[in-house]
Amino acid sequence: MCGVLKNVFNPEVGFFIHYIVTAKSVMEKFVIEGGKKLYGNVNVSCAKNACLPLISASVLCRRVFLKSAPKIADVGVMCKLFDSLGGRCEFINGGIELKAENLLKYEPDEKMSKSIRASVFFLGSLLSRFKKAVVFKPGGCDIGSRPIDIHISGLKALGCRCKEFQDKYEFDGEDMCAGKVVLRYPSVGATINLIEAAVFLNGETVINNAAKEPEILCLCDFLNACGFKIFGGGTSEIRVIGVNEREIKSDVEFFPIKDRIEAGTFMCACAACGGEVVLQSERNGVLQTVNFLRRAGGEIYEKPLKGGLYEFAVRFKTYAKNASVKADVFPAFATDMQPLALAAVLKARGKSVIADGVYKKRFGYARELKKFGADISVDESDGFAVVSGVENLHGATGIAGDLRGGAALVLAGLSADGKSEILCADKIRRGYEYFDEKLRLLGAEVKHVF
């Protein structure tokens, strides 16, 4: 269940952070009057999943300015973790300034570390900076087991030593050296940590079976802009050539990529409700979502823009028709999009099969969707759900158990007849900037209530 929260403006990071207060406080929720089609343009924020590793990688530099960053809770927590190491993080001019010249610690704040999965991204950069690192066993969304054994085995292949305790890991990188690592699974987090851990090692480090997500390419582009030498970002083989600290730029400005999951969320919202939504994103990140929605009957037009962006116009005259998809490692359909894809076809005629090859048990939100009248049968042992489309959904009260599952409940509320309430909205705000405001700009009737 969610906590009871108060939204408080934190001047140190420049945006809102939520805190647990008392059991009598008002529960944060989205209140939705559904049944309206969506029309208009929506501004897609920079990617949460790109900004979080960029914040951790800024440990390696003196000053970094990320020219744009979403004002969301996870970014706020990562900034506070950066501060807890002795750095200085400030949200200014729509971006984030990170100063690491006075960094003194290699152990971030324990409580905040345990609240967010991305805290583990500091592991590689701290090893490069201090030859030591402490990371606490991370938290985050409850979507199935997510250990860090792949991170540890990869670092051990480079000579790092690790001690495991009940609630934390201690790493010693004094004897680390460049070498070859073969990941048994293309873990995004492990790829991030191995890249960051290898940047100062003398010689060439090769990471095989590396994650290929756009956020990995974004990290490599950022590190190269800082003066590091990373080759093969976005492919299954990444090479890191160790450099001397004197080669690193003291002042770096960088623009992160757009959030492909947010873009896909609004595309699926259009499929669930009908209408026409126009947005901008990098094509590579949303291609599989576009292909899925075209199979679901959507008319999608794309136009290249400057800077590698594309404009997408997504049109559904009524609702999506039945379509199936399997989430898997990139470049397959993203596991973070799996709940949104399922929500998109709740009213589609016929049966749709939504499968997940990454997190087979990532269907807990389906129990909440049934409250809206959805017909869903889940097989967690094989990691798929069968959706039998219903003619109408009705308003209901759903509880967001995780970020993307919570967003799926919002889509159900938007496409349902009558009033819905999505409780524990703090979980959704972890990954969506101004979610309710952007939906209102598309004609949805949504209120954010504390």
Side-chain angles (χ1 to χ4, degrees), residues 92-325:
I92 56 173
N93 299 326
I96 299 177
E97 182 181 61
L98 299 121
K99 295 181 178 180
E101 64 266 32
N102 296 321
L103 229 65
L104 299 172
K105 297 170 60 179
Y106 54 83
E107 180 175 329
D109 179 84
E110 178 178 358
K111 184 176 181 180
M112 285 187 290
S113 293
K114 290 180 176 179
S115 73
I116 181 172
R117 172 75 180 177
S119 62
V120 76
F121 294 162
F122 282 103
L123 169 55
S125 56
L126 290 173
L127 278 171
S128 281
R129 176 90 182 233
F130 296 107
K131 300 298 183 183
K132 294 183 183 297
V134 174
V135 297
F136 294 91
K137 295 182 178 179
C141 286
D142 184 12
I143 59 173
S145 176
R146 296 190 291 173
I148 66 167
D149 56 309
I150 300 175
H151 306 233
I152 294 171
S153 61
L155 291 169
K156 284 183 175 179
L158 299 179
C160 185
R161 293 188 294 272
C162 173
K163 292 182 180 179
E164 180 178 359
F165 298 89
Q166 184 175 357
D167 61 347
K168 68 179 180 180
Y169 301 93
E170 292 184 357
F171 294 85
D172 184 343
E174 289 290 345
D175 297 326
M176 288 182 67
C177 57
K180 184 176 181 179
V181 179
V182 180
L183 298 180
R184 63 175 176 80
Y185 180 87
S187 161
V188 171
T191 301
I192 290 168
N193 275 323
L194 285 165
I195 292 170
E196 293 180 356
V199 293
F200 290 132
L201 300 180
N202 186 32
E204 179 182 80
T205 297
V206 179
I207 306 166
N208 282 327
N209 199 27
K212 297 183 284 187
E213 274 75 359
E215 294 79 16
I216 296 293
L217 176 57
C218 182
L219 173 65
C220 293
D221 288 343
F222 167 74
L223 290 171
N224 286 332
C226 295
F228 296 102
K229 295 180 180 179
I230 320 292
F231 303 92
T235 74
S236 59
E237 181 177 283
I238 296 176
R239 296 185 298 118
V240 183
I241 310 297
V243 301
N244 190 288
E245 291 184 37
R246 292 189 296 272
E247 299 178 56
I248 304 308
K249 296 178 182 177
S250 60
D251 198 325
V252 179
E253 295 189 355
F254 187 79
F255 205 110
I257 60 174
K258 293 284 188 179
D259 194 324
R260 60 192 173 106
I261 307 302
E262 182 185 350
T265 298
F266 286 109
M267 289 178 174
C268 286
C270 183
C273 299
E276 182 172 353
V277 172
V278 179
L279 53 83
Q280 295 178 11
S281 181
E282 286 84 2
R283 186 174 187 271
N284 191 38
V286 298
L287 181 59
Q288 293 300 334
T289 299
V290 167
N291 290 340
F292 166 70
L293 292 178
R294 280 180 172 149
R295 294 198 303 274
E299 299 175 27
I300 304 178
Y301 305 94
E302 41 187 289
K303 180 175 69 175
L305 306 172
K306 293 180 180 180
L309 291 176
Y310 277 71
E311 180 178 88
F312 294 90
V314 183
R315 182 185 301 158
F316 280 84
K317 294 179 180 178
T318 54
Y319 309 120
K321 68 179 185 181
N322 62 305
S324 299
V325 71

Side-chain angles (χ1 to χ4, degrees), residues 33-60:
E33 285 290 342
K36 296 177 175 60
K37 292 187 177 183
L38 305 180
Y39 291 95
N41 291 267
V42 63
N43 179 41
V44 177
S45 300
C46 285
K48 171 183 85 82
N49 290 336
C51 288
L52 300 184
L54 296 183
I55 293 170
S56 69
S58 296
V59 164
L60 302 168

Side-chain angles (χ1 to χ4, degrees), residues 358-401:
V358 180
Y359 299 116
K360 291 185 176 182
K361 296 185 178 180
R362 191 175 188 165
F363 292 93
Y365 65 90
R367 293 187 295 271
E368 297 298 309
L369 286 177
K370 291 180 180 180
K371 296 178 180 178
F372 296 81
D375 186 348
I376 308 168
S377 177
V378 176
D379 185 331
E380 287 191 343
S381 61
D382 289 325
F384 70 89
V386 178
V387 182
S388 299
V390 296
E391 186 172 351
N392 292 297
L393 297 171
H394 56 76
T397 298
I399 301 172

Side-chain angles (χ1 to χ4, degrees), residues 15-75:
F15 47 88
F16 288 94
I17 301 293
H18 48 273
Y19 297 96
I20 294 176
V21 282
T22 67
K24 295 182 180 180
S25 298
V26 177
M27 185 174 291
E28 185 177 352
K29 60 188 176 183
F30 288 119
V31 180
I32 303 168
E33 285 290 342
K36 296 177 175 60
K37 292 187 177 183
L38 305 180
Y39 291 95
N41 291 267
V42 63
N43 179 41
V44 177
S45 300
C46 285
K48 171 183 85 82
N49 290 336
C51 288
L52 300 184
L54 296 183
I55 293 170
S56 69
S58 296
V59 164
L60 302 168
C61 307
R62 291 177 62 85
R63 177 192 176 272
V64 168
F65 181 64
L66 302 181
K67 293 183 180 180
S68 182
K71 300 179 181 70
I72 55 175
D74 276 13
V75 170

